[in-house]
Amino acid sequence: DEERRVSLRALAQIVVAWILRELDVDEKEGIIDSAPLKVCHNIRANHNPHWKGQAVWRYCASKDEYFWGFKTHLIVTNNGLVKHWLVMPANHHDVIGLKTLVPFLPKLRIFGDKGYNLRKKDRAQLLDHGIEVVAAAKSNMKPLPLADQLRLKEIRFLVEQAFSTMDRVMVLEKTLAISSTMAWGSAWNRSQRN
């Protein structure tokens, strides 16, 4: 079946990402982004018993909608493979997700959107770990160097492609709505702790 083939492709990508992380493949650049991970449709949120006290309401500006659930952070390599992921409550800022991933990251240059702009203190802490964050400039900031702007545009599609693959293949919203024990989100969090 087509669904089975697509699911196997997604599973293969997860296995490859795990292998890359375990082998510590030398990747010098990556791109990070976050996306909403809906638990269920908004109309059912108040009646869903599986995630009470864990999932939160949040507004997603890029999709112009409110959702009840979590936020997924992905770091994707230049090859388009998911190197690291994290599922957090949706009300945490993107920078908190990045800081949570720091112990798992090798020395890396990470590109991100405006949500990953750091304070000087945070930038210095990450540089001490060998992680340089290149985030898109906000309107009131000094613009990025042209080379960084072009590189960010060039590799931005990789993380968007990873998110769309997750949405399409794994049908995460249905999985999360069925049961918290079957959820990919909890499996991903367990894999990060090991």
Side-chain angles (χ1 to χ4, degrees):
D1 293 46
E2 181 63 27
E3 287 181 15
R4 192 174 295 165
R5 234 176 304 150
V6 171
S7 295
L8 286 175
R9 228 178 294 141
L11 181 61
Q13 187 176 15
I14 290 170
V15 170
V16 167
W18 178 80
I19 290 169
L20 284 175
R21 190 175 66 237
E22 293 301 313
L23 295 176
D24 196 24
V25 172
D26 186 26
E27 289 283 343
K28 303 262 190 263
E29 284 183 344
I31 185 157
I32 187 169
D33 201 6
S34 64
L37 182 60
K38 295 180 185 179
V39 169
C40 60
H41 291 288
N42 291 347
I43 196 85
R44 296 187 188 102
N46 294 330
H47 306 291
N48 187 319
H50 301 296
W51 297 100
K52 287 258 189 243
Q54 297 174 20
V56 294
W57 282 103
R58 197 68 180 168
Y59 178 72
C60 177
S62 63
K63 296 187 178 192
D64 193 28
E65 67 180 12
Y66 285 90
F67 69 97
W68 190 64
F70 302 93
K71 191 187 284 188
T72 308
H73 297 270
L74 292 183
I75 295 182
V76 180
T77 66
N78 292 340
N79 299 330
L81 297 171
V82 177
K83 179 124 172 136
H84 297 281
W85 60 81
L86 176 70
V87 177
M88 294 184 71
N91 58 352
H92 287 151
H93 194 275
D94 289 346
V95 174
I96 295 172
L98 175 61
K99 287 180 178 179
T100 306
L101 285 169
V102 166
F104 304 101
L105 298 176
K107 292 184 177 186
L108 193 64
R109 187 165 197 238
I110 300 175
F111 290 88
D113 60 16
K114 294 176 185 179
Y116 293 96
N117 279 306
L118 302 169
R119 289 186 235 138
K120 289 181 182 178
K121 181 180 84 170
D122 295 334
R123 188 175 301 279
Q125 285 176 343
L126 291 177
L127 281 173
D128 289 343
H129 289 280
I131 298 167
E132 179 190 357
V133 178
V134 179
K138 294 181 180 179
S139 61
N140 62 348
M141 297 174 68
K142 181 178 153 187
L144 286 175
L146 184 59
D148 288 342
Q149 288 180 25
L150 294 174
R151 185 68 181 142
L152 181 61
K153 285 181 182 179
E154 185 181 323
I155 63 174
R156 175 86 187 142
F157 79 95
L158 295 171
V159 73
E160 298 298 338
Q161 189 177 34
F163 278 125
S164 67
T165 301
M166 283 174 38
D167 285 346
R168 187 180 67 250
V169 174
M170 296 180 191
V171 194
L172 289 173
E173 185 176 334
K174 290 180 183 174
T175 305
L176 290 171
I178 294 170
S179 166
S180 59
T181 58
M182 294 173 53
W184 280 99
S186 61
W188 287 350
N189 280 332
R190 282 194 303 275
S191 72
Q192 288 294 7
R193 283 186 235 129
N194 293 336

